[in-house]
Amino acid sequence: MKAEMKSYIYKMVVAVCCTAILSSCTDLDEKLYDQVGVQNYYNTKNDVIRATFRPFEHAFWSIQSRHVLNELTADQLITPTRDGWWDDGGKWRRLHYHDWNVEDGGDAQTEWNGCFQGIMQCNYVIEDLNALTPSRFGFSEAEFNNLKAQCRVLRAWFYLRLLDGFRNVPLAVSYNDVSKNTETQVEPKVIFQLIENDLKECLPLLTEKTELGSGANLQGQWTKAGAAALLVRLYLNAKVYIDEDRYADCAQVAQDILDGKYGKYEVADRWDAAFDWNNDVCDEVIFGFPAAPGYSYWQYQGDTYWWTVPARARYYLNDSKCKAGDHNTKYAASPSYAPNGTKLSYELGMPVEHFRKYAGDERMKLYRNLGNSQREGMFLYGYLEYKDDNGATKRVQAPESPYDLYIRDAVGKFQDLAPNKWLVTTSSTLRDGDHNSGWHFAKYPFYTDNDAHQMESDYTEIRLPEIIYSLAECKLRAGDKTAAGKLLNKVRRRNYPAANLPTVLYQPDGAATLDMKEMLDEWGREFFAESRRRIDLIRFGKFTSGSWWDKTPDDDDHTKIFPIMRPILNANPALVQNPGYNK
């Protein structure tokens, strides 16, 4: 595709994805005013591009439910009560304890509905474009084929999420001819093959990132590497999805991506580049959704990353204009210590302790805005000090009780307890927290009100380290520990000072030992809070059988997938409830 066409599509993607009208994301009932219908909507090239990328805004919005389901059900993130806050009828406890049921509704229902709404939006566009003649609008065949492939790949992305979350779902491949769809569920392998076939067929039709540093021209649209990356996700988890070992296929596609077969990408030289304000030109990013303040920025919403810091963090961050509303304390890292100061001994969870394992990790620094659109560190802990309007040094306080926060890697009612003191109690649960409980974090930067690039980060859905880690896992499963370690070290070396590399890199590049337990731990470090922890635990056989803080093993494996919620069952009586759940 010509460079000017790439740039044009990028601008259109931004225009479409940066719409702030939430209601349009979930309303599939189209109202026709006068004669503006399908038959006379497509008049210009702009009309075709706008229609193609309309479902992408809905897709961006829909990441919120996936984030909740994949992180709060797993071992690394928690939502404890805090001075009476965040109980919400026990909904967060039920996610943590894997105690959900068909009456819960909430995020599982939103995930089901959101994905199927997105699928039908894609089907609508796919069928419209199939009826158009490219030359009428000034498209070359290659340009038009790329557009036609966009919504097929996006549909595969939605179906991959449904396969992951529910396994047994209906087939919906047409908006106009419902006879092609099914009312009841099909076998997971049918959905698996639909995803695989669509991605394979679309891959050669998509455009390719041909130069390093040219990411801005492709951000927001699927590329060859993006479609190939979805195949990597599909094959990596095939044993979970359809009980078939596809690790060899996963390794081959991943290697092709790393070899540049599908475009030019490289690992960034710092861990936060893929999340920073200019990540649209980061060569590590394979696919992302364009975002901008004043338009769409769903990763800066409460159900994703805006509520990963203290409720009054605006004083510390100097972002009091609250473009995405005020901060809150929905997410924190699961604790490494009991409230009496004793280190816990769980194999799973304890993410901060897993970061501590290797000295000098740049991500372990206290999050600070450095000015000029730069920051350091990922975690917020201890006292958070700032200057007030009079220049006096103050500390961030709890939102209702007048105590200075001293954020700990533990859960308890610490209140204004001195930093060198601990509680007498030896255990705690999700009901026992306060606003000091659990380290907070900032995956995406929270730049100040004075920063020109505040909230300008795009949302990164796929980045190159995922491909590297997937290939490394496949190598490790095949017994090639040396190759796996070398792959992981390509990413890991940027996270530590050069002087520490001999001890923190995996053998043979360093002294650290790699095995399957360490592989899962390393997935947790590199992709902390990136909406994937649940499926990684499932793939490693730990999701239902493992223990972590305030979580004992499940009675059986039925919670590896979510139930179909009551309103969905009532709307379609042909659906069959997933095994282990009451209809």
Side-chain angles (χ1 to χ4, degrees):
M1 182 178 288
K2 296 178 181 178
E4 59 268 24
M5 186 61 190
K6 294 179 185 177
S7 178
Y8 181 72
I9 289 182
Y10 172 71
K11 293 175 183 177
M12 291 300 298
V13 170
V14 173
V16 172
C17 284
C18 292
T19 175
I21 306 174
L22 175 59
S23 61
S24 67
C25 291
T26 57
D27 184 2
L28 299 182
D29 297 324
E30 182 183 17
K31 295 181 180 179
L32 299 182
Y33 297 95
D34 194 22
Q35 297 298 314
V36 186
V38 173
Q39 67 273 19
N40 56 8
Y41 172 77
Y42 296 101
N43 295 301
T44 69
K45 179 181 285 190
N46 288 5
D47 296 335
V48 178
I49 296 174
R50 274 193 293 266
T52 299
F53 289 102
R54 172 62 192 85
F56 283 67
E57 161 62 12
H58 174 83
F60 187 11
W61 163 82
S62 75
I63 64 171
Q64 298 174 93
S65 57
R66 182 190 62 173
H67 186 73
V68 173
L69 293 176
N70 284 331
E71 293 295 348
L72 288 184
T73 63
D75 63 327
Q76 291 192 315
L77 299 189
I78 59 171
T79 301
T81 58
R82 301 178 183 276
D83 299 341
W85 290 31
W86 285 106
D87 182 72
D88 297 326
K91 64 185 297 185
W92 314 117
R93 293 197 303 275
R94 289 194 292 277
L95 288 174
H96 186 84
Y97 300 145
H98 300 180
D99 194 30
W100 49 78
N101 57 62
V102 299
E103 311 298 341
D104 271 344
D107 293 289
Q109 181 173 324
T110 301
E111 179 73 354
W112 176 285
N113 288 339
C115 286
F116 272 113
Q117 288 162 354
I119 286 167
M120 292 309 288
Q121 288 182 9
C122 289
N123 288 337
Y124 189 94
V125 174
I126 290 167
E127 291 175 329
D128 273 4
L129 296 191
N130 283 338
L132 300 181
T133 303
S135 59
R136 175 190 165 192
F137 303 96
F139 291 110
S140 69
E141 287 292 334
E143 290 169 345
F144 198 65
N145 284 339
N146 174 59
L147 285 180
K148 289 172 66 176
Q150 291 297 323
C151 281
R152 287 184 67 190
V153 176
L154 189 64
R155 183 177 67 181
W157 178 76
F158 279 120
Y159 264 124
L160 187 52
R161 288 168 53 183
L162 288 169
L163 186 64
D164 184 89
F166 301 94
R167 209 80 80 238
N168 307 295
V169 298
L171 182 70
V173 293
S174 177
Y175 185 92
N176 296 313
D177 185 358
V178 294
S179 68
K180 295 180 180 179
N181 306 331
T182 65
E183 289 189 355
T184 191
Q185 296 101 313
V186 296
E187 290 293 320
K189 191 166 185 177
V190 174
I191 302 300
F192 187 99
Q193 290 174 338
L194 172 69
I195 297 168
E196 183 180 29
N197 291 341
D198 273 355
L199 293 175
K200 282 185 171 182
E201 290 176 11
C202 289
L203 200 154
L205 304 178
L206 295 164
T207 192
E208 182 179 314
K209 183 170 177 285
T210 57
E211 298 178 9
L212 293 176
S214 62
N217 290 334
L218 298 175
Q219 184 80 306
Q221 61 174 301
W222 291 105
T223 60
K224 290 180 179 179
L230 292 183
L231 281 173
V232 169
R233 285 185 180 178
L234 183 71
Y235 293 147
L236 184 65
N237 295 294
K239 187 67 176 174
V240 173
Y241 297 154
I242 58 172
D243 197 26
E244 290 184 10
D245 184 332
R246 301 291 295 271
Y247 291 119
D249 293 322
C250 178
Q252 183 59 63
V253 179
Q255 189 65 62
D256 287 343
I257 294 173
L258 298 184
D259 289 343
K261 181 177 178 179
Y262 302 121
K264 293 186 177 181
Y265 301 87
E266 66 179 12
V267 176
D269 61 0
R270 62 181 216 277
W271 74 267
D272 62 332
F275 312 101
D276 212 350
W277 70 272
N278 56 351
N279 58 351
D280 57 337
V281 293
C282 176
D283 290 311
E284 181 175 308
V285 177
I286 293 177
F287 177 77
F289 290 106
Y295 296 94
S296 286
Y297 41 82
W298 297 112
Q299 82 275 26
Y300 279 117
Q301 296 296 299
D303 283 326
T304 46
Y305 296 102
W306 197 250
W307 288 356
T308 66
V309 294
R312 290 185 170 179
R314 65 182 183 276
Y315 297 111
Y316 178 71
L317 300 169
N318 191 21
D319 64 354
S320 59
K321 291 181 180 177
C322 300
K323 294 178 181 176
D326 213 343
H327 293 288
N328 211 327
T329 55
K330 181 170 186 174
Y331 301 103
S334 187
S336 306
Y337 290 84
N340 69 346
T342 302
K343 189 164 76 171
L344 301 174
S345 58
Y346 295 106
E347 174 185 332
L348 299 171
M350 301 174 59
V352 175
E353 191 63 23
H354 283 105
F355 276 100
R356 288 191 185 107
K357 181 176 181 178
Y358 298 103
D361 195 323
E362 295 289 337
R363 297 164 294 188
M364 289 287 288
K365 293 180 178 178
L366 178 67
Y367 178 91
R368 292 194 306 141
N369 287 319
L370 303 177
N372 298 317
S373 304
Q374 293 181 315
R375 55 103 169 235
E376 70 175 9
M378 184 169 69
F379 289 103
L380 292 92
Y381 49 83
Y383 289 125
L384 301 179
E385 296 185 334
Y386 64 96
K387 299 288 187 180
D388 68 10
D389 292 340
N390 298 317
T393 299
K394 296 291 184 70
R395 292 169 176 165
V396 173
Q397 291 192 322
E400 291 185 336
S401 302
Y403 60 87
D404 293 343
L405 295 187
Y406 183 81
I407 303 170
R408 302 174 184 246
D409 189 13
V411 173
K413 293 179 170 60
F414 299 102
Q415 302 287 303
D416 55 1
L417 193 68
N420 62 341
K421 303 291 185 181
W422 292 88
L423 301 177
V424 175
T425 182
T426 59
S427 63
S428 61
T429 71
L430 283 167
R431 296 175 183 265
D432 299 324
D434 69 356
H435 286 276
N436 293 311
S437 298
W439 280 25
H440 290 290
F441 58 93
K443 197 84 183 194
Y444 287 82
F446 295 117
Y447 289 137
T448 71
D449 290 338
N450 300 321
D451 198 300
H453 300 295
Q454 185 186 48
M455 290 178 60
E456 194 172 323
S457 300
D458 291 350
Y459 175 69
T460 296
E461 169 66 18
I462 305 173
R463 54 193 183 93
L464 189 62
E466 178 183 342
I467 308 306
I468 294 172
Y469 276 49
S470 298
L471 180 57
E473 183 182 320
C474 292
K475 296 283 189 184
L476 188 60
R477 289 180 182 275
D480 194 347
K481 184 183 299 187
T482 296
K486 283 183 171 292
L487 282 163
L488 296 177
N489 290 339
K490 290 180 178 180
V491 181
R492 281 171 56 80
R493 65 177 59 251
R494 70 181 177 189
N495 298 327
Y496 307 93
N500 295 37
L501 293 181
T503 59
V504 304
L505 294 182
Y506 294 124
Q507 300 170 352
D509 299 334
T513 300
L514 179 64
D515 56 20
M516 289 301 288
K517 176 184 179 301
E518 178 66 14
M519 182 76 231
L520 179 59
D521 290 347
E522 183 55 27
W523 272 112
R525 280 185 289 264
E526 179 62 30
F527 294 91
F528 176 75
E530 289 189 47
S531 308
R532 64 169 298 129
R533 186 61 176 174
R534 170 185 153 274
I535 188 57
D536 289 338
L537 289 178
I538 292 173
R539 193 173 65 255
F540 279 78
K542 302 292 185 180
F543 184 71
T544 56
S545 64
S547 297
W548 50 89
W549 175 79
D550 197 25
K551 172 68 174 68
T552 57
D554 296 9
D555 292 334
D556 56 43
D557 286 344
H558 79 276
T559 53
K560 286 181 179 178
I561 57 177
F562 296 104
I564 304 170
M565 297 302 174
R566 179 75 62 203
I568 299 170
L569 292 171
N570 290 342
N572 181 3
L575 293 174
V576 177
Q577 182 59 273
N578 276 332
Y581 296 104
N582 295 325
K583 183 167 185 178

mmCIF file of all heavy atoms in Angstrom, residues 14-34:
data_model
loop_
_atom_site.group_PDB
_atom_site.id
_atom_site.type_symbol
_atom_site.label_atom_id
_atom_site.label_comp_id
_atom_site.label_asym_id
_atom_site.label_seq_id
_atom_site.Cartn_x
_atom_site.Cartn_y
_atom_site.Cartn_z
ATOM 1 N N VAL A 14 -7.746 7.223 13.628
ATOM 2 C CA VAL A 14 -7.754 8.111 14.780
ATOM 3 C C VAL A 14 -9.087 8.836 14.873
ATOM 4 O O VAL A 14 -9.690 8.943 15.943
ATOM 5 C CB VAL A 14 -6.594 9.120 14.712
ATOM 6 C CG1 VAL A 14 -6.713 10.143 15.825
ATOM 7 C CG2 VAL A 14 -5.263 8.400 14.802
ATOM 8 N N ALA A 15 -9.575 9.319 13.753
ATOM 9 C CA ALA A 15 -10.837 10.059 13.755
ATOM 10 C C ALA A 15 -11.994 9.182 14.200
ATOM 11 O O ALA A 15 -12.876 9.608 14.948
ATOM 12 C CB ALA A 15 -11.107 10.622 12.356
ATOM 13 N N VAL A 16 -11.995 7.918 13.744
ATOM 14 C CA VAL A 16 -13.076 7.023 14.103
ATOM 15 C C VAL A 16 -12.930 6.533 15.538
ATOM 16 O O VAL A 16 -13.877 6.523 16.318
ATOM 17 C CB VAL A 16 -13.124 5.813 13.131
ATOM 18 C CG1 VAL A 16 -14.117 4.784 13.630
ATOM 19 C CG2 VAL A 16 -13.519 6.290 11.742
ATOM 20 N N CYS A 17 -11.713 6.125 15.919
ATOM 21 C CA CYS A 17 -11.505 5.583 17.259
ATOM 22 C C CYS A 17 -11.608 6.660 18.317
ATOM 23 O O CYS A 17 -11.928 6.380 19.465
ATOM 24 C CB CYS A 17 -10.145 4.891 17.353
ATOM 25 S SG CYS A 17 -10.134 3.285 16.555
ATOM 26 N N CYS A 18 -11.315 7.890 17.979
ATOM 27 C CA CYS A 18 -11.364 8.979 18.964
ATOM 28 C C CYS A 18 -12.727 9.645 18.959
ATOM 29 O O CYS A 18 -12.862 10.837 18.745
ATOM 30 C CB CYS A 18 -10.259 9.997 18.689
ATOM 31 S SG CYS A 18 -8.621 9.348 18.983
ATOM 32 N N THR A 19 -13.777 8.847 19.126
ATOM 33 C CA THR A 19 -15.112 9.376 19.313
ATOM 34 C C THR A 19 -15.521 9.169 20.753
ATOM 35 O O THR A 19 -15.207 8.148 21.344
ATOM 36 C CB THR A 19 -16.124 8.672 18.372
ATOM 37 O OG1 THR A 19 -17.416 9.140 18.677
ATOM 38 C CG2 THR A 19 -16.081 7.177 18.531
ATOM 39 N N ALA A 20 -16.157 10.137 21.333
ATOM 40 C CA ALA A 20 -16.455 10.062 22.769
ATOM 41 C C ALA A 20 -17.880 9.625 23.048
ATOM 42 O O ALA A 20 -18.363 9.735 24.161
ATOM 43 C CB ALA A 20 -16.200 11.424 23.416
ATOM 44 N N ILE A 21 -18.589 9.135 22.051
ATOM 45 C CA ILE A 21 -20.003 8.809 22.245
ATOM 46 C C ILE A 21 -20.133 7.360 22.660
ATOM 47 O O ILE A 21 -20.162 6.466 21.832
ATOM 48 C CB ILE A 21 -20.803 9.083 20.951
ATOM 49 C CG1 ILE A 21 -20.577 10.528 20.490
ATOM 50 C CG2 ILE A 21 -22.275 8.827 21.189
ATOM 51 C CD1 ILE A 21 -21.202 10.835 19.150
ATOM 52 N N LEU A 22 -20.199 7.121 23.970
ATOM 53 C CA LEU A 22 -20.230 5.764 24.485
ATOM 54 C C LEU A 22 -21.472 5.008 24.037
ATOM 55 O O LEU A 22 -21.416 3.830 23.733
ATOM 56 C CB LEU A 22 -20.164 5.782 26.015
ATOM 57 C CG LEU A 22 -20.297 4.435 26.720
ATOM 58 C CD1 LEU A 22 -19.206 3.492 26.252
ATOM 59 C CD2 LEU A 22 -20.238 4.617 28.224
ATOM 60 N N SER A 23 -22.593 5.684 23.980
ATOM 61 C CA SER A 23 -23.833 4.978 23.665
ATOM 62 C C SER A 23 -23.774 4.304 22.315
ATOM 63 O O SER A 23 -24.366 3.255 22.106
ATOM 64 C CB SER A 23 -25.016 5.950 23.702
ATOM 65 O OG SER A 23 -24.851 6.984 22.754
ATOM 66 N N SER A 24 -23.026 4.872 21.392
ATOM 67 C CA SER A 24 -22.945 4.274 20.063
ATOM 68 C C SER A 24 -22.158 2.982 20.066
ATOM 69 O O SER A 24 -22.242 2.199 19.139
ATOM 70 C CB SER A 24 -22.309 5.263 19.077
ATOM 71 O OG SER A 24 -20.951 5.474 19.413
ATOM 72 N N CYS A 25 -21.376 2.747 21.146
ATOM 73 C CA CYS A 25 -20.564 1.544 21.203
ATOM 74 C C CYS A 25 -21.409 0.295 21.370
ATOM 75 O O CYS A 25 -21.017 -0.782 20.978
ATOM 76 C CB CYS A 25 -19.562 1.620 22.365
ATOM 77 S SG CYS A 25 -18.282 2.837 22.096
ATOM 78 N N THR A 26 -22.542 0.437 22.002
ATOM 79 C CA THR A 26 -23.314 -0.738 22.357
ATOM 80 C C THR A 26 -24.689 -0.795 21.710
ATOM 81 O O THR A 26 -25.453 -1.712 21.971
ATOM 82 C CB THR A 26 -23.486 -0.801 23.884
ATOM 83 O OG1 THR A 26 -24.111 0.413 24.326
ATOM 84 C CG2 THR A 26 -22.144 -0.952 24.573
ATOM 85 N N ASP A 27 -25.019 0.173 20.890
ATOM 86 C CA ASP A 27 -26.332 0.221 20.264
ATOM 87 C C ASP A 27 -26.215 -0.278 18.834
ATOM 88 O O ASP A 27 -25.641 0.380 17.979
ATOM 89 C CB ASP A 27 -26.861 1.652 20.298
ATOM 90 C CG ASP A 27 -28.283 1.739 19.749
ATOM 91 O OD1 ASP A 27 -28.840 0.676 19.400
ATOM 92 O OD2 ASP A 27 -28.812 2.855 19.659
ATOM 93 N N LEU A 28 -26.785 -1.458 18.582
ATOM 94 C CA LEU A 28 -26.706 -2.035 17.235
ATOM 95 C C LEU A 28 -27.964 -1.776 16.413
ATOM 96 O O LEU A 28 -28.056 -2.213 15.275
ATOM 97 C CB LEU A 28 -26.471 -3.546 17.338
ATOM 98 C CG LEU A 28 -25.175 -3.957 18.036
ATOM 99 C CD1 LEU A 28 -25.046 -5.466 18.018
ATOM 100 C CD2 LEU A 28 -23.986 -3.317 17.360
ATOM 101 N N ASP A 29 -28.935 -1.110 17.002
ATOM 102 C CA ASP A 29 -30.164 -0.818 16.276
ATOM 103 C C ASP A 29 -30.004 0.487 15.513
ATOM 104 O O ASP A 29 -30.027 1.575 16.083
ATOM 105 C CB ASP A 29 -31.340 -0.704 17.248
ATOM 106 C CG ASP A 29 -31.601 -2.018 17.961
ATOM 107 O OD1 ASP A 29 -31.428 -3.057 17.308
ATOM 108 O OD2 ASP A 29 -31.957 -1.986 19.145
ATOM 109 N N GLU A 30 -29.821 0.372 14.212
ATOM 110 C CA GLU A 30 -29.565 1.548 13.389
ATOM 111 C C GLU A 30 -30.878 2.223 13.006
ATOM 112 O O GLU A 30 -31.818 1.570 12.559
ATOM 113 C CB GLU A 30 -28.812 1.128 12.125
ATOM 114 C CG GLU A 30 -28.452 2.301 11.230
ATOM 115 C CD GLU A 30 -27.782 1.841 9.955
ATOM 116 O OE1 GLU A 30 -27.894 0.647 9.629
ATOM 117 O OE2 GLU A 30 -27.157 2.674 9.287
ATOM 118 N N LYS A 31 -30.951 3.542 13.204
ATOM 119 C CA LYS A 31 -32.100 4.324 12.762
ATOM 120 C C LYS A 31 -31.747 5.011 11.455
ATOM 121 O O LYS A 31 -30.729 5.683 11.345
ATOM 122 C CB LYS A 31 -32.465 5.372 13.823
ATOM 123 C CG LYS A 31 -32.954 4.771 15.137
ATOM 124 C CD LYS A 31 -33.308 5.869 16.126
ATOM 125 C CE LYS A 31 -33.796 5.267 17.436
ATOM 126 N NZ LYS A 31 -34.131 6.323 18.426
ATOM 127 N N LEU A 32 -32.593 4.858 10.461
ATOM 128 C CA LEU A 32 -32.354 5.469 9.167
ATOM 129 C C LEU A 32 -33.188 6.739 9.056
ATOM 130 O O LEU A 32 -34.401 6.722 9.245
ATOM 131 C CB LEU A 32 -32.726 4.505 8.042
ATOM 132 C CG LEU A 32 -31.950 3.189 8.001
ATOM 133 C CD1 LEU A 32 -32.403 2.358 6.809
ATOM 134 C CD2 LEU A 32 -30.455 3.449 7.930
ATOM 135 N N TYR A 33 -32.531 7.838 8.793
ATOM 136 C CA TYR A 33 -33.218 9.105 8.613
ATOM 137 C C TYR A 33 -33.249 9.435 7.123
ATOM 138 O O TYR A 33 -32.206 9.491 6.471
ATOM 139 C CB TYR A 33 -32.506 10.209 9.390
ATOM 140 C CG TYR A 33 -32.527 9.951 10.882
ATOM 141 C CD1 TYR A 33 -31.457 9.325 11.509
ATOM 142 C CD2 TYR A 33 -33.631 10.318 11.650
ATOM 143 C CE1 TYR A 33 -31.483 9.074 12.873
ATOM 144 C CE2 TYR A 33 -33.658 10.071 13.021
ATOM 145 C CZ TYR A 33 -32.585 9.448 13.623
ATOM 146 O OH TYR A 33 -32.613 9.204 14.964
ATOM 147 N N ASP A 34 -34.459 9.673 6.590
ATOM 148 C CA ASP A 34 -34.668 9.893 5.171
ATOM 149 C C ASP A 34 -34.159 8.665 4.414
ATOM 150 O O ASP A 34 -34.567 7.552 4.687
ATOM 151 C CB ASP A 34 -33.966 11.186 4.727
ATOM 152 C CG ASP A 34 -34.449 11.627 3.347
ATOM 153 O OD1 ASP A 34 -35.549 11.227 2.940
ATOM 154 O OD2 ASP A 34 -33.701 12.378 2.701
#
